[in-house]
Amino acid sequence: MAQLAHLTAPVGTVVSRMRALAEDLPERDGVAVFNRVYLAVTEEVERRLEAGRFEDPRAAVTLDVRFAERYLAAVDAAADGRRPPACWRPLFQFRRHPGVRPLQFALAGINAHIGHDLALAVVDACRTLGCEPADLEDEFDRVGDLLVSLEERIREDLMPGPDLLQIADPLTHLLGSWSLERARDATWSAARALWALRRFEDLAEEFAERLDAAVGLAGRMLLTPLRG
């Protein structure tokens, strides 16, 4: 039991950092909206790890922590006046825009984190563990399934109510064009491609940059203001 607690401690550190952000950021801030969603996911991962529901807890912890570190690095970059990755820039640029709904902020953050960060986190974890992406596929799927299960609840919780029907139709149209499951499938392919290119640094860097830019473009579309 003590060994498991020691193993999962890095996840607890990540959770503490996200809780601190939740306390510091204004509730309506777009980054705060995403942070609440991601905190709920990471807390659930922590609970499942402690309950022994991952076949390879070391791999699960490594992937989860490397994944979270990329989001936290983007937060730190923005706070320090540095440019975060392109996939995160729309969320930081529009985080206080009054015309962007909370659901848009949540899904734009998920888009950045799943579409870009997760692929790089798989590669990071493989380097740390000395394994191949295929060895992490079960853990990847478990985390992805958890995110998918939460997506419907997120949409229900953050969708405008009847008093906002004047913007509900364009919001439904906009968000219906993005799918977490499709993003997750594309991410797994991207992770495998990045791993295959790891010995060709220039090509791997170019691929990662183009992935970052493409995910950033999708994020910018998700954050289209729907009112002034």
Side-chain angles (χ1 to χ4, degrees):
M1 194 70 176
Q3 183 178 4
L4 182 60
H6 175 74
L7 181 64
T8 60
V11 180
T13 300
V14 166
V15 167
S16 296
R17 177 74 195 283
M18 290 184 199
R19 287 174 178 163
L21 282 172
E23 292 178 2
D24 291 343
L25 295 172
E27 184 177 353
R28 181 62 177 79
D29 183 289
V31 177
V33 174
F34 169 72
N35 188 77
R36 288 194 294 273
V37 171
Y38 191 29
L39 174 58
V41 171
T42 309
E43 287 173 334
E44 181 61 23
V45 169
E46 184 179 35
R47 283 191 290 271
R48 294 186 183 194
L49 280 164
E50 291 172 348
R53 295 179 61 183
F54 286 91
E55 292 183 10
D56 187 343
R58 180 168 177 257
V61 167
T62 302
L63 179 59
D64 186 69
V65 171
R66 295 291 179 271
F67 187 31
E69 285 173 344
R70 289 192 169 272
Y71 158 61
L72 295 172
V75 171
D76 289 340
D80 294 342
R82 294 177 284 114
R83 295 186 80 192
C87 61
W88 285 106
R89 285 174 208 156
L91 181 59
F92 287 104
Q93 290 168 354
F94 285 80
R95 62 193 296 179
R96 298 180 182 89
H97 196 296
V100 179
R101 306 301 307 172
L103 178 56
Q104 292 174 264
F105 288 133
L107 294 186
I110 293 172
N111 169 71
H113 205 36
I114 295 293
H116 172 264
D117 292 356
L118 184 53
L120 274 64
V122 169
V123 174
D124 292 342
C126 286
R127 292 185 188 279
T128 299
L129 297 167
C131 68
E132 298 284 324
D135 298 319
L136 295 179
E137 190 168 5
D138 287 345
E139 283 66 36
F140 178 95
D141 286 341
R142 284 186 177 88
V143 173
D145 289 344
L146 175 59
L147 285 162
V148 170
S149 71
L150 286 173
E151 185 190 14
E152 183 176 348
R153 193 184 79 190
I154 291 165
R155 289 177 183 262
E156 289 176 354
D157 289 349
L158 297 179
M159 195 69 180
D163 57 323
L164 293 174
L165 283 176
Q166 67 271 21
I167 67 163
D169 285 345
L171 181 61
T172 301
H173 175 77
L174 178 68
L175 300 179
S177 65
W178 185 85
S179 162
L180 193 154
E181 289 199 58
R182 288 198 300 269
R184 184 181 66 168
D185 291 344
T187 291
W188 183 246
S189 296
R192 293 176 62 218
L194 282 167
W195 184 251
L197 291 171
R198 67 191 182 281
R199 295 185 181 88
F200 305 95
E201 292 184 8
D202 290 347
L203 283 174
E205 183 177 351
E206 180 179 350
F207 184 94
E209 287 177 355
R210 292 183 182 277
L211 176 65
D212 190 20
V215 173
L217 178 61
R220 175 62 186 85
M221 294 173 66
L222 284 169
L223 292 172
T224 300
L226 299 178
R227 64 179 181 182

